[in-house]
Amino acid sequence: MDQILNLLASTSGISITTLLLSTLAYSSPLILCALGGLFSERSGVINIGLEGKMLAAACATAFVGAASQNPVVGLSAGIGIAILLSLLHWILTQVYQIDHIISGMGINALALGGTSLVSKTFVELGGKDAAIFPRELYYLAAWVAAAAIWYLFRSTRPGLRIFAVGNDPDKSRQMGLKPLGIRLQSLVMTGVLTGLAGALIATNAGRFSDEMTSGRGYIALAALILGGWKPWPTLLAALAFGFFGSLQLILQGRDLGGLAVPGEFWQALPYLITLIALAGMLGRNRAPAGLGQP
Amino acid sequence: MNGISKNFGPVVALDQVDLTVEQGHIHAIVGENGAGKTTLMRVLYGAHPANEGSIELNGQPVNFRNPEQAIRSGVGMVSQHYAIIPELTCLQNLLLGAEPSLIINQRDAESRATDLATQMGFQFNWNQPANELSPGQAQKLEILKLLWRNAKILILDEPTAMLAPEDADLLYAKLHELTQTGATVLVVTHRLPDVMEHCDHVTVLRGGKLITSVPVSQTNPSQLAEQMIGVSVTQHTLTESHPGEPILTAENLTILGDKGQDAVKSASFVLHQGELVGIAGVDGNGQRELFHALMGLQPFQGSAILEGQNLRDLSTQQRIASGLRLVAEDRHHEAVIESWSIVENASLGLHRLQDLKKGLGVNREAQLALATAATEQFPTKFDNIRQAFRGLSGGNQQKVVVARALQQNPRAILAFQPTRGIDLYVADLVYRELIEATRKGITALVVSFDLDEIMTYCDRILVMNHGILIEVPPELRHDRQAIGRMMVGATP
């Protein structure tokens, strides 16, 4: 690591500050999105639809923000659409008991097609700059969310109930809990956090472009798994992905003093780690015991 | 409770049952499997709404639509399968569903929990994960959960099924103390000794109907047994066994458990021709691993010889061919395929034996003949022998599983809780058939968590505690207290 930093400083004049800022920019949507996933999966609902929610939220924030020229309205639209998609996931998996993976895939496909339709329909609006909040607010929100979730699960009633339902819905039911209701609340929180994540991606880019989340919902899911479904480790995992992601952005196309690493390698690295994590090679065994159970 | 009726589809589970329970009593509800005991209790605490009838609590009519409403009125139930979530700590399990406030003050909750436990004479390490609890501790935690919710009427379903006799006595002593403070306890059980010794009043159900409800002092075990079953059964008397040649000899068996511990520690025993040997002990003391290892489902150290053949050299299929049979503990996971027919299940595992095999396939006629024989061995109720196994009741499924082990010339039968879920009458039949089979020159080893069952039927008794297997000396063979002490590792 030191060597890489030294190399960076000496060969390309990239300062550590630049790298840190870039890490923050890259990792904050991942943190928000992964924490959103944490709510869902802790309550027992597998959620591979994070990508779709984030994409839809980015789209809504950009277009509504551009149309209204009001950042509050734009952000609300982003969060709102993510909550709606989350509720759709709840209805499909909990009320109609459809396989969680299928429902998640469906939501991703819906978001992909839907946002592309919107951007092709409102081409003019897409060219306008959206009204946005400063991105630092989102950075702050990501860390505050991690702290809040840590506290929620450590010592509050809703936290205990989400944890219980996610581990054993049947026994929770015997103890008078209503898994359906608790999962509804959890999925609303997933919507809020993935909505924030999507809004941040739109904010970082300034406007919407098709497929702009580029698989980061899956990377967030990998961070969640690597973090063992716990808020602080998840945040750390997302930071690590953010670090390598920004390293890749910076290193691409630069000469590393004879180090012949193709740019594609750096580009592929976060996805490679994601793939390994999602394939369950890095500790699926700590997963909530009731994941996917009705 | 007045005139309670409950149907599940066309099945009448309860038919006009009345029940009156006095405050401060320990009231036993007894009956066979399927008599409606548990259903009646579930109606009482709101888990199943009744189709007919009314419930009064302290003179007030009540109508609980779900368990939460019942617990708010002070009625709570501990089911046979504990509602303890292993991933949570003991304290979290205690609080779940009845948290004192939105934000849980850990220290406050812990001290209140400790107070409650001390009152009952229980001890808990509240931050211990619940998966480390023994069945006895889990039972205690379940009772504390009800008390935490201020239950005044406690319903316990088969509370001593998983406990060693000493723990069971202790539990009843504590329940007595509770009733002194005004609580009322309803115990669902099939163990008549518990009823006679510890309960004040007893209600007998049979086939969903109320048979009688009397103070315990006015009845006796044989009368209760007759009322439960509907016919009088004679207590089984042991016939003398004449052990012959050894069939299965195990020496220094050491078997790893699923957590990497030694689940069975250097166990040695010999099973002879002509004897039925029982292993007494509380669930989870290595019985499961012992049977799995003998059957070839997990590895073992030491030696096990079946009539001159080293089991280590034989695959499971070869062990079956050599006459080893298993009545598995977990019927659904280990013994049957529920979507297959009765015919297919009756020969499952035996299907590669010489008599049943036909080329690469199965000899259909032989298979049908075997299934017919198996279902006739114990009277099994079914519509069509080719129907899916799923359609049989639990008791009838178990009959087929036990009968299967007796087919095709077994030499040594390993039976894990062979009477699980079947009526006393058929249970008696199962043991008689097992004993008869051994008298014809084979051997059988039975694991049961019901000490009375083992004492009634087995020729020799082994006790298993924490993986250590010891034999009960012949002079203590009929001493229930002594065997009970051995089950928890104390000196007899």
Side-chain angles (χ1 to χ4, degrees):
Chain A
M1 186 61 68
D2 278 353
Q3 279 175 336
I4 295 180
L5 290 178
N6 287 338
L7 198 67
L8 285 176
S10 62
T11 59
S12 47
I14 301 164
S15 75
I16 291 175
T17 330
T18 317
L19 188 62
L20 283 181
L21 275 177
S22 156
T23 299
L24 215 51
Y26 197 96
S27 64
S28 291
L30 291 180
I31 297 172
L32 286 166
C33 186
L35 293 176
L38 188 145
F39 266 106
S40 172
E41 301 222 333
R42 265 289 162 220
S43 76
V45 182
I46 302 171
N47 210 325
I48 63 161
L50 299 175
E51 171 83 2
K53 296 192 226 326
M54 205 157 59
L55 185 63
C59 177
T61 306
F63 280 92
V64 177
S68 66
Q69 286 303 314
N70 182 338
V72 178
V73 176
L75 178 60
S76 305
I79 292 178
I81 190 78
I83 292 179
L84 279 181
L85 288 178
S86 230
L87 290 181
L88 179 64
H89 191 51
W90 177 78
I91 291 171
L92 291 176
T93 59
Q94 302 304 308
V95 181
Y96 291 103
Q97 312 242 327
I98 286 170
D99 184 275
H100 296 202
I101 305 279
I102 308 262
S103 166
M105 295 293 283
I107 284 170
N108 285 342
L110 178 68
L112 194 62
T115 52
S116 162
L117 178 70
V118 167
S119 72
K120 284 195 177 62
T121 313
F122 304 100
V123 179
E124 231 171 275
L125 202 56
K128 258 168 81 177
D129 278 337
I132 48 171
F133 285 111
R135 65 187 69 171
E136 288 75 15
L137 278 183
Y138 291 96
Y139 300 171
L140 187 66
W143 289 73
V144 169
I149 291 171
W150 171 77
Y151 182 75
L152 181 85
F153 282 101
R154 198 185 71 108
S155 47
T156 72
R157 175 163 57 200
L160 176 60
R161 292 188 171 191
I162 293 172
F163 189 69
V165 163
N167 274 303
D168 200 323
D170 271 338
K171 287 179 178 163
S172 300
R173 223 171 268 131
Q174 282 182 45
M175 293 320 300
L177 271 53
K178 298 194 169 56
L180 234 61
I182 290 166
R183 286 171 172 170
L184 177 69
Q185 293 164 13
S186 284
L187 280 173
V188 168
M189 288 311 298
T190 302
V192 171
L193 287 167
T194 48
L196 281 170
L200 174 53
I201 285 178
T203 303
N204 274 334
R207 61 190 56 169
F208 181 78
S209 57
D210 281 357
E211 295 177 49
M212 72 185 303
T213 48
S214 57
R216 272 179 280 180
Y218 295 104
I219 299 184
L221 196 57
L224 177 62
I225 293 168
L226 284 174
W229 290 265
K230 296 188 184 83
W232 290 119
T234 297
L235 181 137
L236 281 179
L239 266 182
F241 277 122
F243 175 77
F244 285 110
S246 52
L247 204 60
Q248 159 241 313
L249 287 178
I250 290 165
L251 293 184
Q252 248 176 52
R254 282 185 199 263
D255 176 25
L256 287 183
L259 201 68
V261 180
E264 287 80 5
F265 174 76
W266 298 110
Q267 268 179 312
L269 192 60
Y271 297 97
L272 200 65
I273 299 173
T274 303
L275 196 67
I276 294 169
L278 289 181
M281 275 179 256
L282 300 170
R284 255 283 172 191
N285 55 350
R286 292 165 299 172
L291 211 50
Q293 284 179 21
Chain B
M1 301 177 83
N2 286 313
I4 301 293
S5 295
K6 172 74 191 170
N7 313 325
F8 294 105
V11 180
V12 180
L14 291 172
D15 185 11
Q16 301 281 332
V17 174
D18 300 323
L19 176 69
T20 307
V21 180
E22 269 181 62
Q23 193 193 357
H25 270 181
I26 298 186
H27 190 125
I29 315 282
V30 300
E32 297 239 89
N33 288 298
K37 301 169 296 201
T38 303
T39 309
L40 182 66
M41 293 301 103
R42 291 176 71 85
V43 167
L44 175 58
Y45 95 112
H48 296 318
N51 297 101
E52 263 178 57
S54 62
I55 305 174
E56 282 183 17
L57 192 64
N58 302 323
Q60 301 290 318
V62 289
N63 180 18
F64 303 132
R65 305 198 151 273
N66 51 48
E68 297 94 84
Q69 289 182 356
I71 194 77
R72 248 175 267 144
S73 303
V75 181
M77 175 158 171
V78 177
S79 336
Q80 213 173 338
H81 306 284
Y82 302 145
I84 288 177
I85 300 178
E87 289 81 5
L88 269 57
T89 65
C90 293
L91 186 66
Q92 286 177 323
N93 267 299
L94 182 76
L95 298 182
L96 186 65
E99 303 86 349
S101 52
L102 187 64
I103 289 170
I104 299 164
N105 183 330
Q106 177 91 10
R107 215 177 318 148
D108 251 26
E110 219 176 293
S111 79
R112 273 186 57 197
T114 307
D115 285 350
L116 198 61
T118 317
Q119 247 178 48
M120 288 295 291
F122 300 160
Q123 261 194 339
F124 277 98
N125 171 7
W126 290 112
N127 291 315
Q128 187 185 15
N131 62 3
E132 294 172 5
L133 293 179
S134 70
Q137 284 176 303
Q139 170 82 257
K140 288 173 186 165
L141 183 57
E142 284 283 24
I143 292 171
L144 286 185
K145 275 164 70 178
L146 293 188
L147 297 178
W148 178 267
R149 289 157 174 77
N150 295 315
K152 293 278 175 265
I153 300 177
L154 283 72
I155 307 169
L156 308 179
D157 195 352
E158 300 283 2
T160 57
M162 306 284 277
L163 302 185
E166 287 209 335
D167 282 340
D169 289 345
L170 216 62
L171 175 69
Y172 275 110
K174 292 299 171 192
L175 292 178
H176 259 294
E177 279 175 32
L178 265 182
T179 58
Q180 305 296 314
T181 65
T184 306
V185 179
L186 279 140
V187 177
V188 174
T189 184
H190 69 277
R191 294 185 45 140
L192 297 179
D194 280 3
V195 176
M196 298 312 296
E197 207 173 322
H198 302 290
C199 300
D200 302 306
H201 204 96
V202 56
T203 296
V204 180
L205 296 180
R206 186 175 74 230
K209 291 196 172 70
L210 174 74
I211 301 301
T212 184
S213 192
V214 291
V216 167
S217 54
Q218 291 173 21
T219 185
N220 60 61
S222 60
Q223 192 186 356
L224 282 177
E226 198 179 319
Q227 285 165 332
M228 278 165 68
I229 301 162
V231 293
S232 66
V233 284
T234 48
Q235 179 76 10
H236 177 81
T237 44
L238 277 169
T239 55
E240 210 175 317
S241 68
H242 302 282
E245 296 295 306
I247 292 185
L248 182 65
T249 308
E251 263 172 50
N252 300 321
L253 289 186
T254 295
I255 303 160
L256 283 186
D258 53 6
K259 289 182 195 118
Q261 84 287 19
D262 280 346
V264 178
K265 298 167 187 156
S266 196
S268 301
F269 58 90
V270 182
L271 305 179
H272 301 90
Q273 275 188 337
E275 64 175 358
L276 177 68
V277 181
I279 296 181
V282 178
D283 190 10
N285 274 295
Q287 299 97 324
R288 186 164 304 127
E289 289 82 359
L290 177 66
F291 272 33
H292 279 176
L294 289 175
M295 224 39 224
L297 306 175
Q298 67 185 91
F300 60 85
Q301 289 170 12
S303 88
I305 310 291
L306 177 70
E307 300 193 297
Q309 289 174 290
N310 193 340
L311 282 189
R312 197 188 293 281
D313 301 334
L314 303 180
S315 67
T316 299
Q317 193 186 325
Q318 288 166 327
R319 292 180 206 205
I320 292 172
S322 299
L324 199 58
R325 297 282 186 277
L326 176 69
V327 175
E329 171 194 19
D330 189 335
R331 191 169 57 230
H332 298 293
H333 285 113
E334 300 178 319
V336 300
I337 299 173
E338 284 201 290
S339 54
W340 287 14
S341 70
I342 299 172
V343 173
E344 287 160 325
N345 273 293
S347 56
L348 190 61
L350 307 175
H351 57 285
R352 295 310 296 160
L353 296 182
Q354 204 56 48
D355 289 357
L356 281 144
K357 149 165 111 167
K358 188 175 179 186
L360 289 173
V362 175
N363 180 338
R364 298 286 165 195
E365 293 92 64
Q367 192 185 31
L368 181 62
L370 182 109
T372 312
T375 48
E376 279 168 3
Q377 183 140 26
F378 303 113
T380 309
K381 278 182 220 157
F382 55 86
D383 301 327
N384 181 337
I385 200 157
R386 299 205 180 274
Q387 80 180 71
F389 205 68
R390 179 179 295 125
L392 298 184
S393 71
N396 281 314
Q397 292 191 352
Q398 184 68 10
K399 288 180 206 168
V400 175
V401 170
V402 177
R404 181 175 68 197
L406 291 164
Q407 308 303 317
Q408 291 287 316
N409 305 318
R411 296 300 299 155
I413 297 173
L414 308 173
F416 203 109
Q417 294 254 79
T419 61
R420 187 174 166 179
I422 56 185
D423 298 345
L424 280 180
Y425 175 72
V426 185
D428 185 62
L429 204 62
V430 163
Y431 272 105
R432 282 167 201 266
E433 292 280 346
L434 278 175
I435 291 168
E436 202 188 307
T438 63
R439 298 301 185 257
K440 286 177 187 157
I442 72 163
T443 191
L445 181 64
V446 174
V447 163
S448 174
F449 305 136
D450 185 344
L451 180 53
D452 295 311
E453 195 175 276
I454 293 212
M455 290 182 64
T456 307
Y457 297 105
C458 295
D459 300 313
R460 274 196 299 139
I461 301 178
L462 308 174
V463 170
M464 201 154 193
N465 175 49
H466 285 289
I468 297 169
L469 192 68
I470 42 174
E471 175 150 11
V472 176
E475 67 271 19
L476 296 176
R477 166 66 186 74
H478 299 284
D479 188 339
R480 190 167 197 280
Q481 296 301 321
I483 300 174
R485 281 193 292 276
M486 291 173 76
M487 279 165 63
V488 291
T491 47

